[in-house]
Amino acid sequence: MGLLATFRSLFSRAKKPVVLGIALGSGGAKGMAHLGALKAFAEAGLSFGVVTGTSIGSIVGALYCKGYSWADMAGIVDNINKKEFAKNLRPFADMSPIESFLEGYVEGDIPSLPLPFAACATDAATNQCVVLREGKTARALTASAAIPPFFRGVEIGGAKLYDGAFSNAIPADVCREMGARAGLGLALSAHAKADEDKGRIERLVGSAIGAFTPVETLPDAKTRGYAAADVMLRPNLYDFKATDISRAATDAMFEIGYREAKERLPEIQAAISAARKKGKKRGRA
């Protein structure tokens, strides 16, 4: 390349885009709000270079990294036989059928995904967060979503892993560690019912479930995500449970997620601009 061409290339080179990361939180069927948010992001032309997720968030995140759009994912949900799925919800069920189902959409290992991805699970022995970035994608997703007492733990690398919500419910900190310069979080349980707002039966069921849960919720399981995210989306899903799989409920949660993301777009754009300015300052330093 000649001197003149080299000089021109220095000034015509495209700006490097800010690496935008998203951490998709746990919440079972409330994950329909994730799909609504992804629709709003797609309409705004936003895409993500780093994706992390916990439980249902890990499943949505892996599908996104594989190349599925929000509409593709909504189609997958529509095609699930919800009655058959509900029948299989029994204490400490094996996750193998779910792993086989997921394998049909995200076959292969995590490093083979087109985008950097990590799923978070909880180690039964240490109660600490395990960040899964290697190994079979479908198996990592089942470990991240194995919520006791509905499902058994999933064995990976000699460890028994359970749902990541107990240790890192919205893994925005993992996004940062993986190179995101601007990070979003999407919390599905930000408006969960307080114990005093629950009915007597609901409290008794919660206590019974807690007695059979082999892992505990860490004090910073949610707060670490808030601390690491530039913008934390908090769709108001107060009226819904993680087990609400009726069409009316899933449609409503999708719309709530869409509206929350749409309304927060100015904050997200501001976070991207701030990250870009920081990058320029570092470049001049």
Side-chain angles (χ1 to χ4, degrees):
M1 183 184 288
L3 181 61
L4 183 58
T6 302
F7 184 76
R8 282 176 178 163
S9 71
L10 290 174
F11 289 91
S12 62
R13 193 174 296 154
K15 294 178 182 177
K16 286 185 72 174
V18 170
V19 177
L20 181 60
I22 186 165
L24 299 168
S26 60
K30 295 179 186 180
M32 285 302 297
H34 287 327
L35 304 193
L38 290 177
K39 179 185 178 183
F41 297 145
E43 290 176 350
L46 287 179
S47 58
F48 301 94
V50 176
V51 181
T52 61
T54 295
S55 199
I56 188 62
S58 72
I59 295 172
V60 173
L63 288 168
Y64 178 89
C65 289
K66 189 71 175 180
Y68 291 91
S69 69
W70 68 266
D72 296 329
M73 294 184 227
I76 292 170
V77 173
D78 286 342
N79 289 327
I80 293 173
N81 187 324
K82 296 181 177 66
K83 287 184 179 179
E84 285 300 315
F85 180 80
K87 283 180 187 177
N88 291 324
L89 282 179
R90 58 189 184 279
F92 295 103
D94 186 2
M95 290 290 279
S96 295
I98 296 175
E99 181 178 335
S100 297
F101 172 79
L102 292 171
E103 182 74 17
Y105 296 97
V106 288
E107 72 282 358
D109 293 341
I110 293 175
S112 69
L113 292 170
L115 293 174
F117 170 74
C120 289
T122 303
D123 190 318
T126 66
N127 215 129
Q128 296 299 306
C129 177
V130 176
V131 178
L132 300 168
R133 295 190 61 187
E134 304 285 341
K136 190 177 175 184
T137 306
R139 190 160 189 81
L141 301 184
T142 58
S144 182
I147 184 166
F150 299 110
F151 299 108
R152 294 181 210 161
V154 175
E155 298 277 348
I156 293 181
K160 183 174 283 188
L161 305 181
Y162 284 97
D163 196 299
F166 294 97
S167 56
N168 197 347
I170 318 153
D173 56 325
V174 181
C175 264
R176 294 292 193 190
E177 292 164 7
M178 292 172 64
R181 286 173 53 200
L184 312 184
L186 211 164
L188 299 178
S189 301
H191 298 273
K193 286 184 180 179
D195 283 342
E196 57 268 25
D197 294 333
K198 296 176 182 177
R200 181 171 174 273
I201 299 299
E202 194 174 357
R203 289 198 302 271
L204 286 173
V205 170
S207 297
I209 288 174
F212 290 97
T213 299
V215 285
E216 297 178 357
T217 302
L218 297 181
D220 66 344
K222 293 180 182 177
T223 55
R224 63 197 291 181
Y226 277 81
D230 292 300
V231 180
M232 181 64 73
L233 276 64
R234 303 170 68 249
N236 190 344
L237 303 170
Y238 179 88
D239 292 327
F240 302 94
K241 301 185 184 70
T243 53
D244 283 340
I245 57 175
S246 71
R247 184 58 185 260
T250 56
D251 284 352
M253 290 186 282
F254 179 95
E255 184 60 27
I256 291 168
Y258 175 80
R259 289 201 308 267
E260 171 73 3
K262 200 86 170 171
E263 290 168 5
R264 305 290 295 281
L265 283 172
E267 293 175 61
I268 296 167
Q269 294 290 1
I272 295 169
S273 296
R276 186 174 289 118
K277 287 177 183 176
K278 283 182 184 177
K280 286 181 179 178
K281 287 180 181 178
R282 279 198 295 266
R284 288 196 296 268

